[in-house]
């Protein structure tokens, strides 16, 4: 873990928040490569949970919601970690359990920073039903910031106070929850291994015993990863029953039932919820990918990230700063930029040093533009994992890289 933390700082993945003022416990900023990795994780989740399916739609609800939402959902009585933020002048944040009553001690507004995105999807359930053509079974998906006053933040970004959740609420018929619960357990596991390339031997599923279930859950399974500090929850998959729709229906006095157009049955759907944070996937991927080996009698650090998530998928490395060579390298860069996450490295340092740097940030492919390129209109693809090299005509480069990235 220490090595991963050092690497992420050294290479610009993560910085402690407000570091020049001594930092803030449980808060981190994401640097340039960190942002690229986060975006890749977020995009791949959205692609597989929403875009590649025809039964899930997206939503973006607000981070700040009225206190009634959290009273109805049971968060105010069951958890002590929601944060509240004043929306008035002072903008202060308060631990929900330290503030008496609903009002901000400074200026009296009644608002909460959300500890999960799920409630936004339940509160908007009726709007989605009425404005789209979804039919049970269907899902609503949301990605966005969440805030929790974690008492013991730590293990890097495994447990932080401000993080980015990705949650799917998948609504099903009341007696069909068990089947869908199994479906989503398998589906989410497959995403980690096949799409993100996580080592399957370091993943397992843990079924919560009845006694440790959250107040809304009938059954919960965690997808766990074997972290350096032991097995820990990566993602939680919960059968939330009709708990949330029921409590919001009662508290808001709004009919939230669903009318089945085929059977004319009216009921509150049950819901299966896979929930995970980008931050926790982030730390998992870095730990899973970290490796040290020896190449040509030189030791190196290498992040064996799947090409799908690598912050830089293709680095273009011209061998010299000679003008005609640079021109070709820049043309190659322009032709690849629309297709891949590309970095152009013209620093002119020793080529081996530039490869090492790309190995450390997990770049799976380096394109070397050399003097021969001017004659044969071809470049060399250098592969991170094997350091093997392959000569490819510039004309066929995009196609070849597309195949390599896809694996
Ligand atoms: P824990 O028991 O570890 O506090 P939880 O059971 O309260 O977690 P959930 O509410 O199930 O967590 O959260 C769903 C997912 O959100 C988790 O699987 C994890 O990926 C992520 N998550 C929860 N809390 C944090 C946090 N403080 N920092 C980063 N990610 C978090």
């Amino acid at each position: 873990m220490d090595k991963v933390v050092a690497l992420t700082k050294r290479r610009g993945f993560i910085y402690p928040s407000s570091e020049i003022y001594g930092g803030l416990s449980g808060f981190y900023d994401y640097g340039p490569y960190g942002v690229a990795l986060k975006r890749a994780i977020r995009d791949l989740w959205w692609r597989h949970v929403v875009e590649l399916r025809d039964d899930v739609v997206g939503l973006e609800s607000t981070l700040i919601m009225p206190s009634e939402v959290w009273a109805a959902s049971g968060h105010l009585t069951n958890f002590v970690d929601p944060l509240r933020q004043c929306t008035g002048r002072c903008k202060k944040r308060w631990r929900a359990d330290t503030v008496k009553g609903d009002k901000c001690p400074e200026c009296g507004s009644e608002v909460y920073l959300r500890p999960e995105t799920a409630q936004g999807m339940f509160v908007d359930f009726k709007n989605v039903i009425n404005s789209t053509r979804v039919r049970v079974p269907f899902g609503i998906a949301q990605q966005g910031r969440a805030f929790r006053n974690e008492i013991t933040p730590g293990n890097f970004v495994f447990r932080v106070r401000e993080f980015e959740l990705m949650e799917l609420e998948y609504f099903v018929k009341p007696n069909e929850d068990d089947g869908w619960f199994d479906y989503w357990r398998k589906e989410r596991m497959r995403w980690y291994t096949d799409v993100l390339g996580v080592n399957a031997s370091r993943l397992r599923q843990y079924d919560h015993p009845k006694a440790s279930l959250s107040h809304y859950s009938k059954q919960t399974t965690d997808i766990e990863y074997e972290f350096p500090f032991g097995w820990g929850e990566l993602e939680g998959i919960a059968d939330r029953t009709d708990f949330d729709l029921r409590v919001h229906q009662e508290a808001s006095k709004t009919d939230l039932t669903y009318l089945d157009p085929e059977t004319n049955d009216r009921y509150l759907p049950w819901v299966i919820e896979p929930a995970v944070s980008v931050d926790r996937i982030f730390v998992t991927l870095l730990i899973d990918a970290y490796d040290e080996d020896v190449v040509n009698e030189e030791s190196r650090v290498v992040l064996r990230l799947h090409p799908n998530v690598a912050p830089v998928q293709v680095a273009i490395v011209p061998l010299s700063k000679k003008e005609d060579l640079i021109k070709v390298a820049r043309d190659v860069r322009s032709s690849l930029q629309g297709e891949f996450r590309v970095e152009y490295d013209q620093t002119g340092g020793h080529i081996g040093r530039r490869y090492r740097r790309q190995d450390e940030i997990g770049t799976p492919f380096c394109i070397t533009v050399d003097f021969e390129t001017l004659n044969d209109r071809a470049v060399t693809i250098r592969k991170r994992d094997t350091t093997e090299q392959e000569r490819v005509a510039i004309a066929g480069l995009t196609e070849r890289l597309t195949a390599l990235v896809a694996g």
Side-chain angles (χ1 to χ4, degrees):
M1 185 64 126
D2 289 346
K3 287 178 173 178
V4 168
V5 172
L7 185 151
T8 57
K9 177 94 194 282
R10 183 168 74 243
R11 292 302 186 194
F13 283 78
I14 288 197
Y15 315 118
S17 166
S18 309
E19 193 179 17
I20 62 169
Y21 289 100
L24 192 54
S25 165
F27 293 89
Y28 287 91
D29 293 341
Y30 286 83
Y33 292 128
V35 169
L37 177 52
K38 267 185 96 176
R39 291 187 78 95
I41 295 168
R42 220 188 269 140
D43 290 351
L44 287 166
W45 187 90
W46 197 260
R47 187 157 173 70
H48 287 263
V49 172
V50 183
E51 290 174 352
L52 292 177
R53 308 181 61 96
D54 46 26
D55 58 349
V56 178
V57 294
L59 184 78
E60 273 190 36
S61 61
T62 57
L63 276 65
I64 293 174
M65 298 172 93
S67 57
E68 287 92 330
V69 172
W70 309 106
S73 69
H75 281 85
L76 295 189
T77 41
N78 290 291
F79 298 120
V80 290
D81 47 5
L83 283 184
R84 297 166 63 182
Q85 180 171 35
C86 172
T87 49
R89 266 167 301 131
C90 72
K91 300 277 187 288
K92 275 193 180 157
R93 286 179 189 172
W94 309 88
R95 264 179 60 172
D97 58 327
T98 63
V99 181
K100 293 214 167 53
D102 286 337
K103 301 211 187 304
C104 168
E106 290 278 310
C107 65
S109 43
E110 299 178 22
V111 287
Y112 283 79
L113 278 177
R114 62 186 182 186
E116 60 175 39
T117 70
Q119 296 308 320
M121 296 184 268
F122 299 126
V123 168
D124 272 337
F125 177 76
K126 201 88 202 169
N127 283 334
V128 173
I129 291 281
N130 290 342
S131 60
T132 70
R133 303 172 69 186
V134 292
R135 295 279 177 267
V136 170
F138 76 93
I140 307 179
Q142 173 156 225
Q143 303 179 327
R145 296 272 164 152
F147 303 82
R148 293 186 191 180
N149 183 48
E150 299 284 3
I151 310 301
T152 50
N155 285 323
F156 201 34
V157 293
F158 178 86
R159 190 178 302 285
V160 281
R161 290 183 164 136
E162 174 176 339
F163 53 98
E164 187 159 343
L165 267 178
M166 305 191 288
E167 295 187 294
L168 166 67
E169 306 306 324
Y170 196 79
F171 298 94
V172 304
K173 279 189 183 167
N175 54 355
E176 294 182 356
D177 57 316
D178 288 341
W180 282 111
F181 186 68
D182 283 342
Y183 168 86
W184 280 109
R185 286 198 306 192
K186 291 201 190 81
E187 190 59 21
R188 296 302 302 149
M189 202 70 165
R190 198 185 58 76
W191 186 73
Y192 286 110
T193 55
D194 296 6
V195 181
L196 301 192
V198 177
N199 193 333
S201 68
R202 296 198 197 139
L203 289 172
R204 72 175 187 194
Q205 299 203 358
Y206 168 75
D207 301 330
H208 283 252
K210 286 260 179 284
S212 75
L213 292 174
S214 303
H215 63 282
Y216 52 74
S217 175
K218 169 183 155 185
Q219 48 191 335
T220 296
T221 295
D222 291 344
I223 295 178
E224 294 190 331
Y225 182 81
E226 191 174 17
F227 292 99
F229 49 86
W231 288 93
E233 174 180 342
L234 169 58
E235 166 161 343
I237 300 159
D239 181 343
R240 292 181 82 123
T241 70
D242 63 353
F243 175 87
D244 301 274
L245 288 180
R246 189 157 34 80
V247 294
H248 286 306
Q249 173 167 274
E250 280 160 20
S252 67
K253 309 212 171 3
T254 307
D255 178 13
L256 296 181
T257 54
Y258 169 79
L259 176 65
D260 189 313
E262 273 154 35
T263 61
N264 261 347
D265 284 346
R266 196 171 261 292
Y267 58 87
L268 284 176
W270 281 39
V271 68
I272 308 299
E273 175 198 77
V276 64
S277 72
V278 180
D279 311 69
R280 207 166 275 187
I281 296 177
F282 186 97
V283 67
T284 303
L285 291 182
L286 290 178
I287 285 166
D288 202 56
Y290 187 93
D291 196 13
E292 294 172 2
D293 68 359
V294 177
V295 173
N296 301 330
E297 290 166 31
E298 234 188 278
S299 61
R300 67 167 181 167
V301 168
V302 53
L303 280 187
R304 301 191 189 279
L305 290 169
H306 191 289
N308 278 347
V309 292
V312 176
Q313 295 171 307
V314 182
I316 295 156
V317 190
L319 205 55
S320 104
K321 288 185 178 173
K322 226 175 127 252
E323 209 172 299
D324 40 358
L325 207 136
I326 291 297
K327 189 182 170 312
V328 178
R330 288 201 176 126
D331 287 347
V332 169
R333 171 185 63 180
S334 312
S335 72
L336 299 180
Q337 256 168 347
E339 307 291 326
F340 309 99
R341 291 186 288 278
V342 172
E343 184 171 275
Y344 179 73
D345 180 2
Q346 196 192 297
T347 51
H350 183 261
I351 190 78
R353 277 233 312 280
R354 286 189 272 167
Y355 286 155
R356 287 302 100 81
R357 186 175 165 279
Q358 295 297 337
D359 289 342
E360 277 203 18
I361 64 167
T363 306
F365 308 108
C366 287
I367 307 295
T368 318
V369 181
D370 54 30
F371 295 105
E372 203 39 42
T373 302
L374 300 176
N375 301 322
D376 67 358
R377 305 299 299 171
V379 292
T380 302
I381 302 179
R382 183 261 190 189
K383 295 165 192 163
R384 174 195 69 201
D385 291 339
T386 56
T387 73
E388 208 177 78
Q389 311 217 357
E390 178 184 329
R391 196 81 183 161
V392 179
I394 291 174
L397 188 57
T398 303
E399 196 183 337
R400 180 67 188 128
L401 284 170
T402 303
L404 285 170
V405 166

